[in-house]
Amino acid sequence: MSASSEAHRLLPRPLLVTVTVILCAMVLVPVLYILLASLNSDLGVASGEFWPGSFSVESYGRIWTTADLANGLVNSILVCALVAVASAVLGTMTAYVLVRHTFTGRLTILRGLVGLQSIPGTLMLLPVFVLFSSAGNYLGVTVVGTRWGLFLAYLTFALPFSTWVMVTYLRGLPRELEEAGRVDGASTPRILVRIIMPLSLPAIVVSGIFAFLLGWNDVLFASVLTRPGTRTAAVALSAFGSTQEGGALPVYSQVMAAALVSAAPVVLLYLVFQRYLVGGLTAGGVK
């Protein structure tokens, strides 16, 4: 039975259409308001206009100086891209060892990967900050306020999830492919690079995108572990919005424009990797 026929069987068609319209409206109406507000003037948005009296892209030009968005976007892209690549690669290698080899503590590690997902990140903020500060004092290495310190923090939280995604996916890959490679004289690293990774590309993309989003959407850790020169786009946007509160004329139009510009890289990422993302999310459930 197809997915559409299954949905029609569970819900009557009029109710299904109504629910679909309501869910789409809940997502699209706020996005439409943000878009229209970014094309409006600050005065028009402050007065409560939904439809701009005159369309203007002036806010998109101002945010690069008022919100310091360019520096934040560069920092976010660098840190989050490195986290995505590192977590995807390390997660694949770790998952391959956990799936294909049996050793003492294997089940404990697998259970720990699941258990780590239940720990709220807010509880880890103070321990991570103290650990990074202590590393700077005892090792003479500056961690807090640097991009690579933020990279280590994000990788710590992204790697368990990426590893578990790859464990779920690799369990469905047939061992015969690896055995054929070994018959041809391929070593374990060569099998991993030439056979496992190409076949696991959808799952690798999924783990990488979720790792990217973990860093891109974070405000808490980035606010504590960065300084003005290394803060991310989320922190820059949050600081820009908070500094405008209580002003004579809040620059709501510029805040909306900055929010759309900050969301653009994520939307582009989904559009580019949409095919792999859908395949990776569904493959684990099917297998």
Side-chain angles (χ1 to χ4, degrees):
M1 182 180 294
S2 63
S4 59
S5 60
E6 183 70 15
H8 290 161
R9 187 179 68 85
L10 294 175
L11 293 175
R13 185 175 182 83
L15 181 59
L16 180 63
V17 173
T18 302
V19 172
T20 303
V21 171
I22 292 176
L23 293 177
C24 291
M26 292 174 61
V27 176
L28 295 178
V29 170
V31 175
L32 178 61
Y33 175 76
I34 295 174
L35 177 61
L36 292 176
S38 68
L39 298 175
N40 200 352
S41 62
D42 293 324
L43 181 60
V45 179
S47 63
E49 292 182 359
F50 180 80
W51 191 265
S54 60
F55 291 87
S56 174
V57 295
E58 186 178 356
S59 296
Y60 287 92
R62 290 182 176 179
I63 57 176
W64 303 108
T65 55
T66 56
D68 191 26
L69 196 58
N71 182 59
L73 286 173
V74 170
N75 292 329
S76 290
I77 291 174
L78 287 176
V79 173
C80 295
L82 288 176
V83 170
V85 173
S87 64
V89 173
L90 294 177
T92 303
M93 293 189 294
T94 305
Y96 180 77
V97 174
L98 293 173
V99 172
R100 292 294 189 254
H101 299 276
T102 302
F103 53 90
T104 304
R106 172 177 171 272
L107 292 179
T108 302
I109 295 175
L110 290 173
R111 291 166 183 163
L113 292 176
V114 179
L116 288 174
Q117 307 303 315
S118 62
I119 301 177
T122 53
L123 296 181
M124 301 300 296
L125 178 61
L126 183 58
V128 169
F129 178 77
V130 172
L131 178 63
F132 285 5
S133 299
S134 301
N137 294 331
Y138 292 109
L139 301 178
V141 179
T142 303
V143 181
V144 177
T146 62
R147 295 190 186 97
W148 73 273
L150 192 62
F151 163 79
L152 291 178
Y154 289 159
L155 185 61
T156 302
F157 295 100
L159 190 55
F161 177 80
S162 298
T163 303
W164 184 252
V165 169
M166 296 308 304
V167 165
T168 305
Y169 192 88
L170 291 181
R171 281 175 175 171
L173 292 182
R175 293 177 179 267
E176 290 77 8
L177 297 174
E178 303 171 41
E179 294 174 357
R182 296 189 187 279
V183 170
D184 293 336
S187 60
T188 299
R190 188 178 182 86
I191 291 175
L192 183 63
V193 174
R194 294 297 183 90
I195 298 178
I196 300 300
M197 285 189 174
L199 293 176
S200 306
L201 189 58
I204 292 175
V205 170
V206 169
S207 62
I209 287 179
F210 275 91
F212 186 93
L213 292 178
L214 183 146
W216 191 272
N217 296 329
D218 173 69
V219 178
L220 187 62
F221 281 87
S223 299
V224 176
L225 299 178
T226 61
R227 58 176 185 268
T230 59
R231 64 184 182 183
T232 60
V235 177
L237 184 61
S238 177
F240 178 58
S242 62
T243 55
Q244 306 305 318
E245 296 179 359
L249 179 61
V251 288
Y252 290 137
S253 177
Q254 296 183 46
V255 172
M256 300 298 181
L260 287 178
V261 171
S262 299
V266 178
V267 175
L268 181 62
L269 187 68
Y270 270 99
L271 292 177
V272 172
F273 295 103
Q274 181 181 10
R275 177 167 60 93
Y276 298 102
L277 184 63
V278 173
L281 288 175
T282 57
V286 173
K287 294 177 179 179

